[in-house]
Amino acid sequence: MINKEFLPKRIILVRHGESQGNLDGSTYATTPDNKIPLTELGMEQARLAGAKIREVISSGGELSNWKVYFYVSPYARTRSTLREIGRSFSKKRMIGVREECRIREQDFGNFQVEERMKVIKETRERFGRFFYRFPEGESAADVYDRVSSFLESLWRDVDMKRLHRNPFDDLNFIIVSHGLALRVFLMKWFKWTVEQFEYLNNLGNCECRVLQLGDGGEYTLAVHHTEEEMSAWGLSPEMIADQKWRVHASRGDWNEKCPWYLDAFFDPLHDSDDSTKEDEHDCNTSDPNGTL
C-alpha cells in the first residue's frame, strides 16, 4: 500500500475554457477538433481558474509548503487553458507537466457537419450516452478504457515516487482535460455505474472538481464541495452520502451502506448464512413431504 505521505493531497480536474467550437458549432466542419482554439473569454476563464486553484491549494495564501504537477490533453484548447492557468504559479511551485493523449477529447469523427452531428446526438440520447459510438469515432465506454489506463500510470508515478517531491510538501495533481473525459475519470475513480454516469451533467468551461484526501486516506469531493453543488452535477443522494462517508473513511474500507456495491445488483440479501438456513428450515417445515 502507498504511504499516505506520498499521496497527492488533491487531484483537481479542470475542463478547458470556452473554445471557438463551444461558441460556434460550425467550426468543427472546417477545423480539426484538436486544433480548435480558445476564445478571448476562454483565455480569461482559464486565468481566473488558475487564481482560484492557487487559492484552494494555498488555503488563501496561508500555506507555503505545496507543489503542483500538471497533466494536460494535447488539444490546442487544453494546452492554452494550461498556459493561462500557469500564470498563477511560479516555477518553484511546479514539479512538472506531462502531455497525456489518453485524456484527450472523445473522438466524434473527423470534420463534423453541424446538421449531421445534431441528428447523431439526438440518436445518442435515445441509445444512451455511455455506449453510443459516434460513426468513425468513439463511445464514452471507449474513453473510459483509455482513462482507466491513464489512472494506472498515474498511480505508478505515485507508487514509484517518480515525482521526487519533499514529503513535507502537499502535492497537488491538476488535470486539464475535457468534459466527457473528466466525467468518466470520476466514474472510474468512485466506481460509479453506467446508470449513474447517464445522470451526470457536463462541467462548465474552466469548471473544476476537487478530489481531496480525507482523514483516513480516501479521496472525496465532499471536503471542498457542498451537497448542493454535487446534487447540481447529477449525483444522487446515495452518491453524495458516499462522498461524505469518504471524508473520514480509512483507505481500503468497504462502505456497506453504499447501495450500488451490492443492492443495485441483487434482490435483498440476507445478513448472514444463518438467515438463509432459517428460511430453508421454514420452507421444509411448511411442506414436510417436500411436494411443493
Side-chain angles (χ1 to χ4, degrees):
M1 183 177 290
I2 302 172
N3 192 320
K4 185 181 175 184
E5 70 178 7
F6 289 102
L7 293 172
K9 182 172 183 178
R10 298 177 191 86
I11 301 172
I12 301 176
L13 311 180
V14 190
R15 186 188 174 203
H16 60 81
E18 181 189 71
S19 73
Q20 191 62 40
N22 296 142
L23 192 63
D24 179 5
S26 66
T27 304
Y28 295 102
T30 56
T31 307
D33 195 1
N34 64 296
K35 295 182 179 180
I36 291 176
L38 293 181
T39 63
E40 286 299 320
L41 174 60
M43 303 279 276
E44 179 62 21
Q45 289 171 335
R47 286 190 287 271
L48 290 174
K52 290 178 181 177
I53 291 169
R54 182 187 174 97
E55 186 81 4
V56 169
I57 291 172
S58 68
S59 293
E62 295 181 6
L63 299 180
S64 59
N65 59 325
W66 55 270
K67 294 286 194 296
V68 294
Y69 189 90
F70 295 96
Y71 295 90
V72 62
S73 158
Y75 279 37
R77 56 188 179 273
T78 41
R79 288 284 300 267
S80 295
T81 298
L82 172 64
R83 183 171 288 106
E84 298 307 314
I85 287 174
R87 298 183 189 281
S88 293
F89 300 92
S90 64
K91 189 173 182 179
K92 74 172 188 175
R93 294 294 182 187
M94 297 185 188
I95 296 173
V97 59
R98 182 181 304 169
E99 182 179 276
E100 179 51 73
C101 286
R102 289 171 293 183
I103 59 172
R104 67 188 184 276
E105 176 65 289
Q106 180 180 7
D107 188 348
F108 298 105
N110 296 317
F111 293 108
Q112 302 163 32
V113 178
E114 189 173 11
E115 287 304 313
R116 178 172 179 261
M117 287 302 295
K118 182 178 179 181
V119 173
I120 288 172
K121 289 183 177 181
E122 288 173 354
T123 304
R124 178 184 61 173
E125 292 303 311
R126 298 197 305 272
F127 191 93
R129 289 187 295 167
F130 189 74
F131 291 114
Y132 181 81
R133 179 175 286 116
F134 283 82
E136 303 174 358
E138 291 182 302
S139 66
D142 296 324
V143 179
Y144 180 95
D145 290 341
R146 55 178 166 84
V147 168
S148 297
S149 171
F150 162 67
L151 271 173
E152 292 172 5
S153 299
L154 183 150
W155 280 118
R156 280 197 297 273
D157 286 346
V158 174
D159 192 26
M160 299 180 72
K161 304 176 181 65
R162 288 173 175 159
L163 302 177
H164 305 294
R165 71 186 185 89
N166 182 341
F168 296 103
D169 285 337
D170 289 340
L171 173 61
N172 300 270
F173 287 164
I174 301 174
I175 300 174
V176 184
S177 184
H178 308 265
L180 188 282
L182 296 177
R183 278 179 284 154
V184 298
F185 181 103
L186 292 168
M187 177 188 179
K188 171 66 177 176
W189 190 282
F190 293 120
K191 302 179 179 65
W192 292 339
T193 65
V194 171
E195 182 179 2
Q196 289 168 325
F197 168 84
E198 296 283 356
Y199 287 99
L200 296 178
N201 296 316
N202 200 10
L203 291 77
N205 291 121
C206 276
E207 191 175 353
C208 299
R209 302 284 187 267
V210 180
L211 288 72
Q212 186 158 323
L213 199 61
D215 298 338
E218 281 287 344
Y219 286 91
T220 175
L221 295 165
V223 171
H224 183 75
H225 299 289
T226 66
E227 288 187 41
E228 290 75 16
E229 285 179 296
M230 290 186 282
S231 179
W233 301 339
L235 274 68
S236 68
E238 293 81 11
M239 295 164 75
I240 294 171
D242 181 61
Q243 293 299 316
K244 294 170 71 175
W245 172 83
R246 288 170 175 269
V247 173
H248 303 293
S250 296
R251 188 168 176 78
D253 277 358
W254 181 268
N255 185 0
E256 294 181 353
K257 294 182 179 179
C258 185
W260 62 92
Y261 289 173
L262 287 175
D263 294 351
F265 299 95
F266 300 100
D267 292 331
L269 297 169
H270 296 291
D271 291 331
S272 68
D273 288 342
D274 292 338
S275 300
T276 305
K277 291 177 181 178
E278 288 174 6
D279 284 354
E280 291 174 351
H281 175 72
D282 289 343
C283 289
N284 290 334
T285 54
S286 63
D287 183 22
N289 297 320
T291 58
L292 295 180

